[in-house]
Amino acid sequence: MRRHLFDHVGFSRTVLEWCTFCAVLVFTALLIANFIWAERRLITASETSRMQTQARIIEENLSHQFQGVRNALDSAREAISDPTRCGGDCQNLLLHSLKRAMPGVRALVVLDAEGKIRMSADDMGDRHLDDRDFLSQISQMYSRKLMYLSQPFENTPGVFNIKLSVPILDAGAHNVGAISAILNPEYFDAVMRSALYAEDMNSAITQEDGRRVLFVPANTAAMRSLGAGEDDFLLRHLRAGNATSVLVGLGGDGEKRMVVQRSVAPGDLGLDKTLVISLTRSVDKLHAGWHDLAMSYLLAWCVFAMIGSLALALVQRRQRIAQHLVRVHEAHQAETAERIELALSGANLGLWDWDIPNDSRTVDARANAMLGYPAERQHNTPGEWRSLVNPEHRDELDRVLRQHLHDSSHSFEAEYQMWHREGRWVWIQCRGRVVGRDAQGRAVRMVGTRMDISARKQAEADIAHLAFYDGLTNLPNRRLLLERLAHAVARSERGGYHGAVIFVDLDNFKSLNDTMGHDMGDQLLGLVARRLTQVTREVDTVARLGGDEFVILLDDLGASPEEAGNNAEFVCRKVLAALNAGYALGAYELRSTPSIGVVMFGGGEHTVNDLLRQADMAMYEAKAAGRNTFRFFDPRMQEALDEIAMLETDLRHALARKELLLHYQPIVDHDGRLSGVEALMRWRHPQRGLVFPGTFITQAEKSGIIVEFGEWALETACEQLVQWSAHRDTAHLTIAVNVSARQFRQPEFTQRILQIIERTGANPRRLKLELTESMLLTDVEDLIRKMSMLKTHGVGFSLDDFGTGYSSLSYLKKLPIDQLKIDRSFVQDMLLTPHASSIVRTIVNLAQSMGLEVVAEGVETAEQWAALKKIGCGNFQGYLFARPGTIGDLRHWFAAVDDTASSVRSSHLSLVNPVP
């Protein structure tokens, strides 16, 4: 019976062991499968990251190489654009020198606007390097900031070339040619090949339309591909719209590939096109590594299963004999496990053992190394280890130790500094626990770990510093400035003294950045910060708000406003003197001037934001005063800004409230008959009364409301033309409407004018649009195009205030204008100075020679009228005939007009001018 029971127990144990072994096999198989799957994902992620890094490296190297070509092209363009500084031989020598200085550049050529080669530095002697597609693009190059990238072309079969070009512009920003650097794709070959770290990889640079710029390894068929339709990976990347994409799919050869593509925006490389850098790898070869790993683990698992089975069978056979040995071994293993647990918990940490009654510590080699001591050096005499602790941290360390020794349920952890053998403090993180107590429960032994956390502490300090200081200049940033300014304002209110906020802005800093690069700009900002710190006191705060804006906080300048103001002015003069001195930036000697705004505080309530805004306003007053000076904040500045803000608010409601109206000033012919009118805008404000354009047009222009005002004026004038067309006496009259530059520059300007004419039914031949000469300063070609389109529909044009602006005859002959208006300043002075009289006569003769009408503005006396008629002027406008008035005021004209000139003249004398 006992034997049967024993056999049953042994059988059950055997089954349990085998079941456990099988479970272990299943578990290890799952672990291996999970590990292999994780390894597969790790390989894929690592490969993706590596390919993305390689793509970024290619991008950075391309940017560097393109910048070198850009510098050479800019140097060549500067020499060619100024032949007085560098003649033909000089230009040719420079071109060859630049070509030799740039490896991989086949040729440098200078082309005229038609694509003919004016000058060439070509090491193959070819005078016909430019393909037809490129020639057609030369006239479209207008940006000085961009290089224009051509399509790849085969100058020799199988050898592809690309061109990088910059336009040559004349003084009027017209394209007169281009300078091109002709590159072989081998120019980028070293960069591209350096990214191919596997035999199955290839890389390419592709334009956004799918045309290859470079393919490595060389692939002539891919380079001749003309569009993105052949590249499914490129299409998917472009549709996604991401800067970088990782795609998997079948390649053109049917092989499954992983593709990393990175778009490089035009601004990143200084090009006119977006480029896509792509790297591809075979997915099968990419995963070959983990396939081999899987087979290795499978074989190892099978071997493990076989050996485990044999071992288990052997163990079960000898189990009865080994039971005693197992029990002994388990007891020994339990003792060892505790030590192993402590050792494992202290991995990569220094271990210490504290004999509490004797107050002595022993440490291992790693703990000693943290303080620079050899392993055998022990600070184990009573209390010696405490002498290494920073005295400032000892009290806190003792407090935490006492708490743990009193109640071991609370873990011990402390951070403090210890003295390094090299003479510096090292931050230590210390953890431990009591492992021995005497019969009375007093702690007698404590063990723990020690870790050097100096790097972490330094990182925390750096992060805290970055939160309050500018990374470039190491000055306090806006956050810290606001905090200190708030404290300064509060102290000034309590202490009754005054302080100042000085706002410093560098003049023309953007131009420096654009011309010499941001590196130079950063160096200048660093020097400016240093000089500002040198001319201020230690108690003052010099902060950088961002860009080229600095703020100086001057605290405690004096008890009286006069004393504080004098001290602030003294500091401003020191700042001006310091910042006006030259700056040595590498090989350059630069000068930069500041504009300074000052606001005082103290003796009243101030808010931090108000002080900064008022200092900023004062700074802009300094800029308006000519720069390189300083201005104190004047409350009238705030009042003026409030007035402008209120004016703009009222302007935005003027149209909705129907407060705008048009006044009309008559224009008469040689005999004094009414030939048309000029529409002048007025604003009937509910509080201000009748407001004239000089008060509100400028602000309307700045805020953009002028576009809506202009369209309203045009529509109102057209509606008036429709009313006049119904009467024989007024059907011949024209209306001239002023058009602002901002309104004219609207892309849909011509369409809006034609829509207004169509909607109102006005005769476009009775409508004249008055333009100012200032419009000729920007984009004349767009101006001519819009004018010509309206001209074909019958709309006329008048050039207002002629002679006071951009009077370029070369543009005047191109403009489709019908009329010139002589500025009133010339008319007023023509009887007083011979120069004004000569100008008026010249304008009249010029208009007659070009078949244009002339209108003299500002005619106020009969003598002026007579003199103007004598020199041939045919149309007149001024107070002599009538002041601007409403449509009702014009009835005086219709009632007074007679067929004889004498009656017209007498009607002028008896005309009662309406109140403006």
Side-chain angles (χ1 to χ4, degrees):
M1 182 71 178
R2 183 177 300 175
R3 177 65 176 267
H4 177 74
L5 180 61
F6 181 81
D7 290 342
H8 176 73
V9 173
F11 175 79
S12 300
R13 183 170 181 176
T14 300
V15 172
L16 180 61
E17 288 176 346
W18 278 107
C19 290
T20 304
F21 178 72
C22 291
V24 170
L25 290 179
V26 172
F27 178 73
T28 54
L30 292 176
L31 284 179
I32 292 173
N34 180 68
F35 175 78
I36 293 174
W37 183 252
E39 185 68 15
R40 178 184 182 277
R41 289 186 297 173
L42 179 62
I43 290 174
T44 302
S46 175
E47 187 66 21
T48 301
S49 176
R50 186 176 182 183
M51 293 175 72
Q52 289 174 335
T53 301
Q54 295 297 97
R56 287 195 297 270
I57 292 173
I58 292 174
E59 177 187 349
E60 293 172 359
N61 280 275
L62 285 178
S63 176
H64 177 73
Q65 293 180 340
F66 279 142
Q67 184 60 43
V69 176
R70 174 60 183 267
N71 292 338
L73 292 177
D74 285 344
S75 299
R77 176 169 59 185
E78 181 179 357
I80 291 170
S81 299
D82 189 0
T84 60
R85 296 175 55 188
C86 187
D89 293 340
C90 172
Q91 294 174 4
N92 188 53
L93 178 60
L94 175 63
L95 211 60
H96 282 79
S97 299
L98 291 175
K99 187 264 172 191
R100 288 194 298 270
M102 292 184 294
V105 177
R106 253 194 73 184
L108 279 176
V109 293
V110 181
L111 307 167
D112 60 19
E114 288 72 32
K116 296 179 180 179
I117 297 177
R118 291 170 44 197
M119 189 180 303
S120 171
D122 181 7
D123 56 9
M124 298 187 68
D126 192 347
R127 299 293 293 178
H128 303 282
L129 296 175
D130 298 290
D131 56 315
R132 294 180 179 179
D133 292 338
F134 173 73
L135 296 179
S136 64
Q137 298 174 9
I138 293 178
S139 60
Q140 305 299 320
M141 299 179 185
Y142 285 103
S143 175
R144 295 181 183 273
K145 297 182 179 180
L146 294 179
M147 289 191 295
Y148 293 82
L149 177 67
S150 74
Q151 298 287 355
F153 65 96
E154 292 181 83
N155 196 52
T156 302
V159 178
F160 290 84
N161 299 277
I162 58 175
K163 289 184 286 297
L164 292 175
S165 307
V166 297
I168 302 175
L169 306 179
D170 60 14
H174 292 94
N175 184 293
V176 296
I179 302 176
S180 300
I182 302 177
L183 313 175
N184 287 330
E186 296 174 353
Y187 187 75
F188 312 106
D189 191 66
V191 176
M192 300 294 288
R193 288 189 180 276
S194 66
L196 305 183
Y197 52 86
E199 295 180 356
D200 58 298
M201 289 186 68
N202 60 56
S203 61
I205 300 176
T206 311
Q207 295 182 9
E208 202 169 21
D209 58 1
R211 186 66 186 266
R212 303 288 189 188
V213 176
L214 182 65
F215 199 99
V216 177
N219 189 327
T220 304
M223 289 296 292
R224 290 173 178 162
S225 175
L226 297 178
E230 302 176 9
D231 191 344
D232 180 65
F233 291 110
L234 180 61
L235 289 173
R236 290 162 62 189
H237 170 69
L238 295 176
R239 281 197 298 267
N242 297 323
T244 303
S245 63
V246 180
L247 304 173
V248 177
L250 295 179
D253 55 356
E255 183 182 17
K256 190 173 183 181
R257 302 190 72 83
M258 182 172 75
V259 181
V260 172
Q261 301 184 89
R262 181 176 179 85
S263 294
V264 186
D268 295 338
L269 296 179
L271 298 178
D272 66 321
K273 293 181 177 65
T274 297
L275 298 182
V276 179
I277 300 171
S278 62
L279 292 171
T280 71
R281 278 208 69 180
S282 169
V283 174
D284 293 337
K285 294 183 179 180
L286 175 64
H287 292 165
W290 75 268
H291 288 162
D292 296 338
L293 182 66
M295 293 300 298
S296 300
Y297 273 99
L298 177 61
L299 179 61
W301 183 84
C302 292
V303 172
F304 169 76
M306 293 176 60
I307 294 175
S309 299
L310 292 174
L312 181 59
L314 180 62
V315 168
Q316 288 177 347
R317 289 180 60 186
R318 302 181 61 182
Q319 191 169 17
R320 291 180 181 274
I321 301 173
Q323 284 181 357
H324 177 70
L325 296 176
V326 169
R327 285 194 294 270
V328 173
H329 177 69
E330 287 177 350
H332 178 71
Q333 191 173 13
E335 182 180 355
T336 305
E338 182 179 2
R339 297 180 181 178
I340 294 176
E341 177 65 23
L342 292 176
L344 292 177
S345 65
N348 296 322
L349 302 173
L351 300 178
W352 53 265
D353 192 325
W354 184 26
D355 182 356
I356 299 175
N358 295 322
D359 194 19
S360 65
R361 279 192 183 185
T362 56
V363 297
D364 65 359
R366 185 178 289 109
N368 256 342
M370 292 180 187
L371 299 180
Y373 293 99
E376 62 275 8
R377 176 69 169 92
Q378 294 288 329
H379 300 85
N380 55 2
T381 59
E384 184 181 3
W385 67 272
R386 291 180 183 274
S387 65
L388 300 177
V389 178
N390 191 327
E392 296 179 1
H393 300 163
R394 289 175 189 171
D395 291 342
E396 178 62 19
L397 174 60
D398 289 340
R399 185 191 66 80
V400 177
L401 280 173
R402 283 195 302 270
Q403 181 180 1
H404 177 70
L405 295 176
H406 175 72
D407 184 1
S408 298
S409 63
H410 294 87
S411 61
F412 166 72
E413 181 176 340
E415 294 181 358
Y416 51 87
Q417 288 181 320
M418 296 189 73
W419 188 251
H420 195 276
R421 186 181 183 185
E422 296 178 355
R424 55 187 174 86
W425 292 112
V426 177
W427 274 101
I428 296 296
Q429 182 184 65
C430 189
R431 293 173 178 170
R433 66 181 182 183
V434 172
V435 294
R437 293 183 179 273
D438 60 13
Q440 288 76 30
R442 291 174 298 188
V444 295
R445 184 181 173 215
M446 187 174 177
V447 296
T449 61
R450 175 193 294 176
M451 180 170 64
D452 184 349
I453 59 170
S454 299
R456 192 195 79 190
K457 286 291 187 178
Q458 183 60 44
E460 291 174 353
D462 291 342
I463 292 172
H465 183 80
L466 290 174
F468 291 97
Y469 289 86
D470 175 55
L472 176 63
T473 62
N474 206 33
L475 293 178
N477 59 15
R478 185 184 188 90
R479 180 178 179 182
L480 183 55
L481 171 67
L482 294 178
E483 181 178 313
R484 291 186 180 179
L485 180 55
H487 292 161
V489 170
R491 287 195 303 270
S492 69
E493 292 176 355
R494 293 193 304 267
Y497 56 82
H498 296 265
V501 176
I502 300 178
F503 200 106
V504 181
D505 183 89
L506 302 184
D507 299 329
N508 304 315
F509 180 76
K510 184 179 183 301
S511 300
L512 172 67
N513 262 350
D514 293 341
T515 55
M516 303 189 69
H518 290 276
D519 289 342
M520 284 293 188
D522 290 347
Q523 292 182 43
L524 176 62
L525 292 176
L527 292 175
V528 168
R530 191 176 307 149
R531 292 185 183 183
L532 290 177
T533 305
Q534 291 171 350
V535 299
T536 53
R537 303 169 300 179
E538 291 185 2
V539 296
D540 299 329
T541 296
V542 179
R544 180 185 176 218
L545 291 190
D548 60 337
E549 296 178 340
F550 296 85
V551 172
I552 303 174
L553 170 60
L554 302 178
D555 199 3
D556 193 7
L557 291 179
S560 67
E562 293 78 11
E563 180 185 2
N566 292 335
N567 289 333
E569 180 179 350
F570 176 73
V571 174
C572 289
R573 296 191 184 279
K574 288 174 61 180
V575 170
L576 283 174
L579 300 190
N580 270 272
Y583 297 88
L585 299 179
Y588 300 94
E589 177 71 22
L590 300 180
R591 291 193 175 275
S592 176
T593 61
S595 294
I596 303 174
V598 188
V599 63
M600 307 299 298
F601 63 86
E605 294 185 0
H606 304 275
T607 66
V608 171
N609 291 331
D610 284 345
L611 289 174
L612 288 178
R613 188 178 68 254
Q614 290 166 358
D616 187 50
M617 291 165 56
M619 181 273 294
Y620 278 106
E621 284 295 314
K623 284 188 179 293
R627 305 174 186 264
N628 196 21
T629 186
F630 63 90
R631 289 289 184 272
F632 279 79
F633 173 74
D634 187 341
R636 287 175 295 182
M637 297 180 192
Q638 188 68 49
E639 294 174 4
L641 287 180
D642 294 342
E643 180 69 20
I644 291 173
M646 187 179 300
L647 177 63
E648 184 174 332
T649 301
D650 291 343
L651 282 172
R652 295 191 181 277
H653 296 91
L655 271 179
R657 296 171 180 170
K658 298 182 179 181
E659 296 172 356
L660 296 181
L661 67 156
L662 289 183
H663 279 189
Y664 301 90
Q665 186 172 28
I667 301 174
V668 302
D669 60 14
H670 188 274
D671 296 321
R673 297 186 184 91
L674 183 65
S675 61
V677 297
E678 179 182 358
L680 301 170
M681 191 178 296
R682 300 290 187 266
W683 179 19
R684 185 178 288 111
H685 192 276
Q687 284 81 35
R688 302 169 186 258
L690 193 63
V691 183
F692 288 86
T695 304
F696 66 88
I697 287 297
T698 300
Q699 187 59 33
E701 183 85 24
K702 290 180 181 178
S703 62
I705 308 174
I706 193 66
V707 176
E708 299 177 22
F709 283 14
E711 290 185 2
W712 171 85
L714 283 167
E715 187 160 358
T716 304
C718 287
E719 290 172 350
Q720 186 59 51
L721 285 174
V722 172
Q723 295 179 19
W724 282 348
S725 65
H727 303 282
R728 184 185 64 181
D729 294 338
T730 57
H732 69 286
L733 296 179
T734 63
I735 296 182
V737 181
N738 290 281
V739 177
S740 75
R742 185 161 188 167
Q743 182 183 3
F744 201 95
R745 285 195 296 266
Q746 296 298 310
E748 67 279 3
F749 174 75
T750 53
Q751 290 78 7
R752 298 289 296 173
I753 297 297
L754 295 177
Q755 289 172 4
I756 290 173
I757 293 174
E758 182 179 358
R759 185 167 61 249
T760 59
N763 183 355
R765 300 187 182 280
R766 299 299 175 204
L767 177 64
K768 277 189 174 63
L769 301 182
E770 289 197 2
L771 311 178
T772 61
E773 289 187 74
S774 61
M775 291 188 186
L776 303 179
L777 294 175
T778 57
D779 206 351
V780 178
E781 298 302 327
D782 180 63
L783 177 72
I784 294 173
R785 181 181 58 81
K786 291 179 179 178
M787 291 176 65
S788 300
M789 183 179 295
L790 291 175
K791 188 74 174 177
T792 59
H793 290 80
V795 179
F797 289 92
S798 176
L799 195 56
D800 197 13
D801 299 334
F802 185 75
T804 62
Y806 187 73
S807 304
S808 172
L809 297 181
S810 62
Y811 285 123
L812 186 60
K813 67 180 182 180
K814 296 180 183 180
L815 296 174
I817 60 175
D818 307 281
Q819 189 181 79
L820 296 179
K821 299 190 76 171
I822 304 173
D823 187 67
R824 65 179 66 250
S825 62
F826 299 133
V827 174
Q828 296 294 320
D829 296 340
M830 66 177 293
L831 298 180
L832 304 176
T833 65
H835 297 292
S837 178
S838 298
I839 291 173
V840 173
R841 186 178 296 104
T842 301
I843 294 174
V844 172
N845 292 336
L846 175 64
Q848 290 175 348
S849 66
M850 299 181 68
L852 304 177
E853 295 181 358
V854 182
V855 177
E857 295 184 298
V859 181
E860 297 183 357
T861 66
E863 292 79 5
Q864 291 173 349
W865 186 22
L868 288 166
K869 289 195 294 183
K870 185 176 180 180
I871 62 177
C873 184
N875 297 277
F876 312 91
Q877 179 181 348
Y879 289 174
L880 176 64
F881 312 104
R883 292 177 179 270
T886 63
I887 288 296
D889 298 324
L890 289 180
R891 293 172 186 167
H892 295 288
W893 275 93
F894 303 143
V897 170
D898 195 84
D899 291 336
T900 63
S902 60
S903 63
V904 172
R905 295 188 184 93
S906 63
S907 68
H908 295 161
L909 299 176
S910 61
L911 179 66
V912 178
N913 293 328
V915 177

